[in-house]
Every structure is written in C-alpha cells, then in structure tokens.
C-alpha cells in the first residue's frame, strides 16, 4: 500500500511539532483535504488533541487584512459608475448596465490577474504605438518578451486603424484610470477585491502581525501547491526567509527533473527559480518505481461514458474500504447526472457508499425552473400587462405550484376554449392565493428580490404544510433564499436607478451559479468529484470520465482584453499554463494509484473533439505503464419493418363501435369516409380508438382554421342575400362589408367570440389579408355566374346508404354540412369551398376508392357524397357538384373533369350509379374486412398524425 501524500504530511508534522501542532495554520488550495488530514492526525495521535487551524489560501489571506472582501456585484456596480464617469470626461454617451455587464466580467477578471501577478497596471495598459518607447522604457525585457510587445503594437500601427481597433485603443487608454479609481473607491468603503488582498499582502508582507498564527510555537504550513501567482510567490519566499513557513510540495522526480515534462513546469519554477524548499525533497519517484495499470475506455456518446462505471466499479460496490480508496473524477462536470443515475444505491442487498463532493446545480432543479418562469412572466407583465399562454400553462402544470388537478383543468379548458394566446394580468391576479403572489407586478427594481422571496416563501410554506418537501429541494430552497438575501443586501444602495429587466437578469445569473453540495461521507466509499477537488488527495483506484482533448486540458483560457502577446510580456497566465496544470493534476493522481481508468467520448459534436486528451497520448508514449484498451461499440440495428394491422374480427371493442354505426347510434361524416379510403388504419385510430391530437393554444393559425374562417365569411356574406335573386350589383354593393365580416369570422373561429373587439398584430394581420384575397376570388367567380338563387347555406343533410354485409342488407347514416346550394338556369348546384390544394381532375370512379392507388380524390368523393345525400334529402335530381378551389379557380374553373369530360349533364348522371356501387363496396369492406391496414402508397398518409403508431 502506497501511503497517501496527506498521510505522509501528517506523520512529518507530528514528528516536527508534536502537541504544538495546534499553533500551526495549515493552508491548502481548496477545502477538501482538511477532513482527510484531520483523519490522519486522529489515526496517528489516537487520543483527543487540539487541532491546528485549516484554511484555503483565499481564507488565509483574507483573514490577514482588516478590510472586507467586495463581492462580484459590489465590484460591478462600482466599476460601472466609474466607467461612465470616464466616458463623461471624454464627452461620450454613458453605457447601459446591460451592455456593460459582459465587459465588466472580463475587465474584473483582468484586474484580478493583474493584482495576483503584481503587474503595474499603468505600464501594462501603456499606449505603445511608438515603437521607440518600447526601446527606451522596456530595456529590462528579454529579447523574446520584447519581440511579443513590438509585434502586438506594430499590428496596430500599420496604416489606418480599423473601427474595432479604434474602439479597443480608446478602451485600453481608459484602463489605468479605471483600475486606480476602482480600487480607491472600494477602499474608501473599506472593501478590497480578492486579487487586491494578494497584492496588498505581497507589498506589505513585512508587517506580519495580522497573520493568524502563533509564530513562537507554530508555523504556516503550505500543502500541495503547484502554480503560484506572483503575489503568492513573493509572500511565500518572504515567509520562508523569516522561517515562518514550511512547504510540502507533492512532486515526483519523473516530471520535475525532466524539463520536457509540462506537468513539472510550476514545481521547477517554485523549487529551482524561487528556491522554495520542499520538506519532501529527494523522495524516490513513485511514477517510476511503482506498478501502474492503466485501462483506457473509448465509448461512443456523452452519457455512455457514465454507463461504463458499472463495469469498472463492480468490485468497489461490494468492498467497504476505509478512507475512500476509489474516486470517480468528472473532468467534464456535465456528466454528474448520468454518473449519479448509473451508480446503484445498493449492490447484493448491501448499501453502496457514495460521496458526491460536487454541487448539484440549482439551474437543473425545479426550483430554478419556477424562478425562471417567474422572471419571464414578470418581463411579459412589464412589457404588455399580459402573460403568454405558454408561461401560464407552464405555471399551472409546474410540480411545485401544488394546484389541484381540478383547478388546473378548469383554467386550462377555459383558456383553450377562448384560444387566448396572451392572458390579461388582472385576470390572473383575480385567482388569488399563489396567483396573487406569483403575478404581483414589480414596480421598482428594489422589489425584484423581495417579491421573488415572497413567491419562494409561499411555496416553501405550502410544501412544508403538505409534508411533500424533498430533502434536496429543502437544501436548494435554503441556498436560494440565502443567495437572494445576500443579493438584497448588496443591491441595496446600487439598484435604485437600474432598469427592472436588468436587475431580473442579474438575479437570474446569480441563481444559475448556485450549487448545493450533495450529502455523503468524505472519507468512506466511492468519491465522486471534479478534477480541481482532487488536489492533495490520493486513491488506489482512479476513474476519470470525460478524458477528452479540449476538456482536459481546456482549449481556452477564458475571455480577456489583455492580448496573448502582452500576457506573455507580463507573465500573466497563458494557454500553456492550462496544459501544465491539467497534466500535473492527472500525474499526481497517478503517482500513488495502482489502477487508473481513462474514459473518453469518441464521437465528435459541438462540445467534444472525439479525441482522447493529449495527456493520455503522452503517457502511452513515454511512461512505460501497462495499458489495456477497451472499446464500447454500440451496434446500430435497424428494426425489421413490421406491418401493423389491427384485427377487427376478435376484438369486442372494435365490433361494438362498428355496430354503433350499423345501429345508427353513430353517423359517418364524409371526412371520416375519405380518411378510411385514403388510409384505413387512420380511420381506426381516429374514429374507433378516439385518439385525437391535443388541442393547443397557438398564435399561429393552422391551415384548416383559414378554411373555417373563409367558410364563416361566405356564410355571413350571403345570409342577407338569400331572400331574393343574387345579382352582380347586389354582390358588388355587399363587398364593402367584407373586411368587417372577415374580422367577425376570425374572432368566431379563433376565440369563439364573433363580436370580440381586438387589435390584430403580426401573423393575425397576415391571415386576415389571406382570407380577404380568397373571399375576393370567390366573389369574382360568383359575379361572373350571377344571377343565381341561393337555396341554403351551411345546410345539414343526412341520408342512409345500404350495402351488403355478410349476405344480408345493412345500412349506415351519413351526414354533413353543405357550404352552399345554388340554382341557376334550373340546375341545382352543390358548392364546396376549398382552401387547400385539392384537384378537380380524376381518373375513373373505381380509382377514387382504391386505398392502395395514387388517384384518390377526396374532394370529389366528399362532394358526390353531398350530392347523393342532398338528392335523397330534397327529392331533387340532376344535382351538380361544384368545387371552388380558391388557389386555382381562376384558371381551372369549378367543375370536376375526367380527361376532357366535365362532370356535368349526362356524364354526371352516368357516374352517379357507378359511384354508389363503389361506395357500397367500400362500406362492405369497412365492416367485413378482417383488418384495418395502412395504405400501400406513402402519399396517402403523408400528413397522418398516426404514422408512428402504424410503424411508418
């Protein structure tokens, strides 16, 4: 068993300090290792003892200053105010908070790096267009640094500046003033930034009385550091000179003494250049001397990486080892949920111990979902005093609102009936209770946080009372409320003048960043953590998920206004630093591990390169470790096509439903019949199984709704003209009313409310003008046919059709609404309006009923069915079908045609009995055939909503 690094540290410290260990301050670069080191102390001392103080480096430095640390929002508002003052001095317009926010994040990050690395901001931001200035003022630069600097500024000096360059230079010149004023303003309020604390300490390290250590009996122990900022370097060397600090570097000769190994880049700098002394020097190389088994898993797909865990960790599920000897490291933190869903809670009736040190992101929880819904609803209320149906529906159906099913259904049904795309704010407030709290309008930026707190408080109380609060939700609620209270304090003095949407944006961003640590024992079982959290810790078995190039090391250093060449001159972090840091973290995990498992995704997409990390390639090439390779190949199988047929014969429900048609308890509509002809299985799903498309509220008008609006307009138009003969003059006179009739029809179809008064916008206006064009095409046709007499509009007709069934006579009742019946020159005409792409041509009658043919003409079947029904109903003969296809009417006319023959007069009378014969045959098939099947022609079910149900 190789001793973990922290155990060695514990043994050495006890040997050096004994019981005086209580006077030491132990400083790590993260929180995690403290629990491990305490455990090792306890194991060694084996009796009660006073523990030393443990700090992260940020906590340690912050405790050494009298000033408070400014949080991000205080920094942002201070920076914004000063930036606008500088713009005003230049006679420029101020920049809004919203636009400045992304800039501020970059500027503040740059300032932190400048302070961490003790860079002179004045010099860094110097305007260096004159290369002679470089020669004169920068004589201390190495030739390489000089080259970087002159290269960068030469690119700006050649010829005219481009607009982007002009803007960059203007902002660049503002930076020194911004930097100094920003820090001075914060200091006046007794605040420092984290970065400035480092600079402040580095510059005043002689004055050490503020450091929280008893130097007579103890020292500061720095454990496991690697990359140091210039400020840390200065502080560390000063403390070493005065014999006040000890340094335990976790180093291995394998990569420290080989200058081509980037993993040792920072350790070489710390030990060789800076002369920091490693307590653990001259230790044997564990990388070289110990056996390491490396397993590489190449998998296809992001989540598939987590699924491999069950193979790798099987023996760990059963084992109960002290101080968790197995770790799953998520190089790609988005794999947290797939990993949690994969690792079982029990194995062979034994509980699997799992400790997750990574936080569960609030952004993926239902609490954030509700807060996000509140943000978007409030923005809608601010904008128009209305809330979109989409948001109201999301609110009603959200799991945390706790509304009863009855109430949800009642409200949703009411809104669906009215097809309200936007709901008036007052109407929502009238529902009282949670509605009143959730939809209370924000009138000032200072109300954003308190009102959101009211919503969360209301829901939390309701869930607590109902005893339905889950543990993780309770923790997320607490964390969210804490964060909102903190924001409220910070925002206090700063947001009075801000715009409400911007404050909402800030709160939203702040909540997105929250993560709640999931519970578990940090010392037992399998540990699940991010790569940064593994610093200082050791495990016998290591599994790294997401070991892809671009993820480890990262392919970007983050946004900065300081260009790469200038970063190099001043020793600020550059991309290679990330390579060195990532390599070191992986190598130090491997030093003491017996088994290492690298899992990477071999599929390329927008988030991953499909390549294994270069660190793996390097290890394969030079380490001499034992490697085994596993590849997860997911076979792509296409399922053999299985024809879906619905059997009628032995199915009692289908037989009962069909019997209702024969008993006339159900009637057959022309559209039901044409659906059966074009694709029999659709008829089953729609009319027998009763599977309907759910109704939705939509701002987009569906094609069939345009048809319904047109039908309504034509009905309104001719209502008054039915009383006498319709002449061209009467049509022309009535046309003045068309726009008003279209609006009335639109309101009737879309909102169930013909007399609704409303302002039309966007797509609605487009629909109104489309219907207007269609109406005018029909009226032009009618004017050319005038005079004629209208007998009926939207008339309901019913008729019985008999047909042979199992050797006997059976019959069904058909019914439908005929758009219009005219008489002209003694001929009665059935008129059907169509807004789709229906055709007037047909091949022959048998083909109209051939479900497996390409020549079905639904419009003709429908119109001939109306003609038959009308003749039965009225006792008239020689009734003629006409079809008004608005899109093609002006060219093709209104009569059906087979070849050159028009379906009228004698030819029509010949066709009618043939049509009836084929119709009867089809009805026999509907009730007698053993199966409902799909049409053999794809086009016959091209737009079917049931396609997936019959395997297409």
């Amino acid at each position: 068993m190789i001793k973990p690094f922290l155990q060695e540290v514990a043994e050495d410290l006890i040997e050096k300090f004994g019981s005086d260990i209580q006077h030491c301050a132990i400083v790590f670069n993260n929180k995690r290792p403290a629990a491990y080191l305490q455990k090792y102390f306890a194991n060694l001392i084996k009796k009660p003892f006073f523990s030393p103080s443990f700090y992260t480096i940020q906590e340690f430095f912050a405790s050494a200053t009298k000033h408070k640390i400014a949080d991000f929002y205080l920094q942002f508002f201070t920076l914004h105010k000063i930036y606008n003052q500088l713009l005003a001095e230049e006679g420029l317009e101020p920049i809004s908070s919203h636009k400045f926010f992304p800039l501020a994040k970059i500027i503040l990050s740059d300032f932190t790096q400048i302070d961490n690395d003790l860079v002179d901001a004045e010099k860094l931001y110097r305007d260096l267009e004159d290369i002679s200035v470089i020669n004169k003022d920068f004589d201390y630069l190495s030739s390489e640094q000089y080259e970087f600097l002159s290269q960068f500024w030469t690119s700006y000096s050649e010829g005219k500046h481009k607009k982007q360059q002009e803007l960059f230079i203007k902002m660049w010149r503002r930076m020194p003033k911004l930097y100094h004023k920003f820090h001075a303003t914060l200091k006046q309020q007794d605040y420092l930034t984290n970065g400035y604390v480092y600079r402040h300490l580095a510059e005043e390290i002689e004055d050490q009385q503020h450091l929280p250590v008893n130097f007579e009996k103890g020292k500061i122990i720095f454990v496991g550091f690697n990359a140091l900022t210039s400020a840390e370097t200065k502080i560390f060397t000063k403390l070493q000179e005065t014999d006040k600090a000890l340094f335990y570097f976790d180093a291995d000769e394998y990569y420290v003494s080989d200058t081509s190994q980037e993993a040792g880049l920072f350790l070489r700098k710390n030990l060789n250049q800076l002369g920091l002394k490693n307590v653990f020097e001259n230790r044997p190389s564990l990388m070289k001397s110990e056996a390491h088994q490396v397993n590489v898993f190449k998998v296809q797909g992001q989540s598939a990486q987590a699924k491999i865990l069950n193979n790798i960790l099987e023996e760990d599920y059963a084992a109960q080892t002290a101080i968790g000897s197995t770790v799953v490291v998520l190089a790609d933190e988005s794999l947290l949920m797939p990993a949690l869903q994969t690792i079982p809670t029990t194995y062979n009736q034994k509980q699997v111990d799992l400790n997750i040190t990574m936080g569960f992101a609030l952004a993926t929880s239902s609490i954030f979902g509700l807060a996000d819904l509140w943000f978007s609803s409030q923005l809608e209320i601010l904008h128009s005093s209305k809330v979109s149906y989409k948001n109201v529906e999301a609110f009603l159906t959200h799991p945390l609102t706790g509304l009863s099913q009855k109430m949800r259904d009642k409200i949703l049904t009411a809104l669906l009936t009215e097809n309200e795309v936007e709901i008036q704010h007052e109407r929502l407030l009238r529902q009282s209770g949670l509605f009143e709290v959730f939809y209370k309008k924000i009138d000032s930026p200072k109300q954003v946080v308190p009102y959101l707190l009211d919503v969360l408080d209301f829901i939390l109380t309701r869930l607590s009372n109902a005893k339905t609060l889950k543990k993780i939700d309770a923790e997320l609620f607490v964390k969210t409320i804490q964060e909102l209270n903190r924001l409220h304090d910070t925002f206090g003095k700063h947001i009075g003048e801000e715009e409400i949407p911007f404050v909402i944006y800030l709160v939203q961003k702040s909540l997105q960043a929250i993560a709640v640590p999931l519970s578990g024992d940090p010392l037992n079982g399998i540990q699940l953590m991010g790569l940064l959290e593994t610093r200082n810790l050791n495990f016998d078995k290591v599994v790294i998920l997401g070991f892809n190039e671009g993820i480890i090391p990262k392919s970007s250093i983050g946004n900065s206004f300081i260009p790469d060449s200038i970063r190099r001159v001043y020793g600020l972090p550059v991309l290679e630093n990330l390579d060195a840091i990532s390599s070191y973290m992986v190598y130090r995990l491997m030093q003491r591990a017996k088994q290492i498992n690298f899992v990477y995704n071999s599929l390329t997409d927008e988030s991953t390169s499909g390549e294994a990390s270069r660190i793996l390639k390097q290890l394969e090439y030079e380490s001499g470790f034992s490697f085994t390779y596993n590849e997860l190949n997911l076979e792509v199988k296409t399922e053999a096509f299985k024809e879906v047929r619905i059997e009628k014969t032995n199915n009692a429900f289908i037989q009962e439903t069909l019997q209702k048609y024969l008993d006339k308890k159900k009637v057959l509509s022309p559209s039901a019949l044409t659906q059966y002809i074009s694709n029999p299985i659709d008829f089953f799903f729609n009319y027998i199984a009763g599977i309907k498309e759910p109704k939705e509220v939509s701002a987009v008008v569906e094609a069939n709704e345009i048809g319904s609006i047109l039908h309504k307009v034509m009905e309104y138009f001719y209502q008054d003209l039915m009383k006498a003969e319709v002449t061209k003059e009467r049509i022309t006179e009535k046309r003045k009313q068309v726009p008003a009739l279209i609006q009335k029809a639109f309101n009737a179809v879309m909102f169930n409310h013909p007399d609704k008064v409303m302002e039309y916008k966007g797509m609605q206006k487009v629909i109104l003008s489309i219907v207007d064009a269609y109406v005018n095409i029909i009226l032009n046709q009618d004017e050319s046919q005038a005079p004629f007499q209208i007998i009926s509009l939207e008339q309901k007709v019913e008729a019985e059709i008999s047909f042979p069934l199992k050797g006997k006579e059976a019959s069904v009742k058909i019914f439908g609404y005929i758009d219009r019946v005219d008489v002209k020159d003694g001929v009665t005409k059935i008129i059907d309006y169509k807004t789709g792409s229906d055709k007037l041509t047909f091949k022959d009658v048998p083909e109209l009923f051939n479900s497996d043919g390409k020549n079905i003409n639904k419009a003709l079947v429908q119109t001939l069915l109306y003609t038959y029904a009308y003749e039965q109903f009225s006792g008239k003969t020689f009734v003629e079908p006409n079809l008004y296809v608005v899109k093609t009417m002006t060219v093709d006319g209104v009569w059906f045609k087979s070849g050159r023959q028009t379906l009228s007069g004698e030819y029509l009378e010949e066709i009618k009995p043939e049509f009836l014969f084929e119709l009867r045959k089809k009805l026999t098939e509907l009730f007698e055939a053993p199966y409902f099947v799909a049409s053999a022609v794809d086009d016959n079910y091209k737009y079917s909503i049931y396609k997936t149900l019959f395997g297409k």
Side-chain angles (χ1 to χ4, degrees), residues 634-646:
L634 301 170
E635 279 184 59
V636 178
K637 288 185 183 170
T638 52
E639 222 176 302
F641 172 67
K642 200 168 101 227
E643 189 182 359
V644 177
R645 306 190 301 172
I646 310 288

Side-chain angles (χ1 to χ4, degrees), residues 3-10 12-13 16 26-29 57 220-229 232-240 245-256 263-286 535-538 584 587-589 591-592:
K3 278 185 192 172
F5 171 63
L6 289 178
Q7 188 178 334
E8 292 185 356
V9 172
D12 195 69
L13 285 171
K16 281 191 169 66
I26 298 178
V27 182
F28 296 110
N29 38 24
I57 184 102
I220 308 169
I221 316 295
F222 291 99
V223 181
F225 284 84
N226 176 37
L228 302 177
T229 64
E232 287 168 338
T233 303
K234 195 167 174 187
I235 296 166
F236 284 15
T237 44
K238 205 73 188 163
L239 290 170
Q240 182 174 276
L246 289 178
F247 299 95
Y248 289 86
F249 290 109
D250 191 358
D252 193 290
E253 188 201 325
Y254 173 85
Y255 49 79
V256 175
L265 178 75
F266 290 108
L267 288 171
R268 283 192 292 276
K269 190 179 168 194
N270 299 342
L271 302 169
N272 306 340
Q273 283 173 257
L274 303 172
L276 293 176
K277 254 182 102 47
N278 185 7
V279 176
F280 288 163
E281 61 186 342
N282 306 322
R283 295 280 167 123
S285 168
L286 298 170
R535 290 175 295 184
N536 289 306
L537 308 182
N538 294 109
Y584 173 70
Y587 278 39
R588 68 149 302 280
L589 262 179
Q591 275 160 225
R592 292 174 166 81

Side-chain angles (χ1 to χ4, degrees), residues 72 76 100-110 505 509:
F72 171 77
F76 165 72
F100 187 63
F101 189 74
L103 297 182
K105 281 168 89 170
I106 301 172
I107 293 169
L108 289 171
S109 158
D110 284 348
Y505 169 80
K509 280 274 172 254

Side-chain angles (χ1 to χ4, degrees), residues 499-546:
E499 289 176 3
I500 294 171
F502 177 63
V503 177
I504 287 177
Y505 169 80
L506 288 185
V507 177
Q508 195 173 21
K509 280 274 172 254
S510 177
L511 294 186
Q512 269 171 337
I514 291 179
V516 171
L518 297 160
S519 56
D521 182 345
L523 299 171
N524 289 320
I526 297 161
Q527 303 291 310
L528 185 64
M529 52 180 66
L531 187 60
L532 281 171
E533 295 168 295
T534 63
R535 290 175 295 184
N536 289 306
L537 308 182
N538 294 109
F539 304 89
D540 292 338
K541 184 172 184 176
V542 175
V543 186
I544 303 187
L545 299 187

Side-chain angles (χ1 to χ4, degrees), residues 311-588:
N311 301 44
I312 302 172
L313 299 177
E314 198 165 355
E315 62 209 46
D316 302 284
Y317 294 160
Q320 293 292 316
T321 49
I323 299 204
S325 63
T326 301
V327 69
V328 176
V329 181
L330 304 185
D332 179 350
E333 299 196 355
S334 68
L335 292 170
L336 176 63
M337 291 317 282
L340 288 180
Q341 286 158 354
T342 303
I343 298 170
T345 49
T346 56
Y347 185 78
N348 290 346
Q349 281 86 50
K350 254 169 99 182
Q351 198 168 348
V352 174
D353 279 340
L354 178 68
N355 175 48
I356 303 110
T357 66
M358 296 173 64
F360 177 78
L362 177 69
T364 58
S365 70
S366 54
I367 295 166
F368 182 77
L370 188 73
D372 209 31
L373 195 58
W374 183 79
F375 296 137
S376 50
S377 301
Q378 287 295 339
L379 290 171
E380 287 180 338
I381 293 166
L382 274 173
H383 178 66
S384 63
S385 293
K386 290 176 182 174
V387 181
S388 63
Y389 171 81
K390 170 173 71 63
N391 272 345
V392 173
E393 184 189 32
F395 170 71
L396 292 170
T397 54
H398 194 284
L400 291 177
T401 50
L403 301 172
S404 68
Q405 193 61 46
K406 192 179 170 190
M407 187 174 189
R408 281 180 197 178
D409 291 347
K410 184 183 154 206
I411 299 171
L412 286 173
T413 309
L415 296 174
L416 278 169
T417 311
E418 296 167 35
N419 197 26
E420 284 285 14
V421 181
E422 295 178 316
I423 294 101
Q424 288 291 343
H425 177 221
E426 294 77 39
R427 186 174 172 186
L428 292 165
L429 289 178
R430 281 202 298 274
Q431 297 293 327
S432 74
L434 176 57
F435 284 82
E436 210 171 340
V437 180
F438 193 85
Y439 289 111
K440 186 177 178 183
K441 187 182 177 186
I442 298 167
D443 293 313
S444 89
K446 290 194 171 181
Q447 292 171 342
V448 175
V449 175
Y451 282 16
L452 178 54
L453 279 166
D454 290 347
V455 170
L456 295 178
D457 190 42
F458 190 98
I459 284 170
L460 190 55
T461 307
R462 180 185 272 188
L463 290 171
S464 302
N465 293 345
K467 300 201 167 31
T468 54
L469 188 62
K470 298 193 195 89
K471 183 174 184 291
I472 182 69
D473 280 349
E475 288 178 11
L476 286 164
F477 264 116
V478 168
K479 198 81 194 256
T480 308
I481 289 165
Q482 277 174 350
E483 176 65 7
L484 289 171
N485 283 323
R486 193 184 72 74
L487 282 179
H488 189 53
D489 296 343
T490 309
F491 283 1
K493 310 180 200 71
H494 300 283
I495 57 167
E497 303 303 309
E498 295 295 344
E499 289 176 3
I500 294 171
F502 177 63
V503 177
I504 287 177
Y505 169 80
L506 288 185
V507 177
Q508 195 173 21
K509 280 274 172 254
S510 177
L511 294 186
Q512 269 171 337
I514 291 179
V516 171
L518 297 160
S519 56
D521 182 345
L523 299 171
N524 289 320
I526 297 161
Q527 303 291 310
L528 185 64
M529 52 180 66
L531 187 60
L532 281 171
E533 295 168 295
T534 63
R535 290 175 295 184
N536 289 306
L537 308 182
N538 294 109
F539 304 89
D540 292 338
K541 184 172 184 176
V542 175
V543 186
I544 303 187
L545 299 187
F547 205 66
N548 275 79
E549 185 62 27
I551 291 172
I552 175 169
K554 283 197 175 75
S555 52
S556 154
I557 196 156
N559 293 330
S560 170
F561 287 129
I562 306 170
D564 182 72
S565 48
I566 288 190
R567 299 181 81 83
R568 289 176 192 280
V569 172
Y570 289 94
L572 292 172
V574 289
L575 201 53
E576 292 90 302
N577 294 24
L578 295 181
D579 295 4
I581 291 167
S582 299
S583 298
Y584 173 70
M585 284 199 281
V586 173
Y587 278 39
R588 68 149 302 280

Side-chain angles (χ1 to χ4, degrees), residues 699-702 705-706 709 742-743 746 750 758-775:
V700 180
V701 180
E702 301 293 334
E705 289 169 329
I706 293 180
I709 296 166
I742 291 173
Q743 291 186 8
F746 182 90
M750 298 305 295
M758 65 174 287
E759 189 186 327
Y760 301 96
K761 52 185 178 197
M763 204 57 202
Q764 294 173 330
K765 286 183 175 175
V766 174
I767 302 305
L768 295 175
S769 57
I770 290 171
V771 175
D772 188 58
Y774 286 175
V775 169

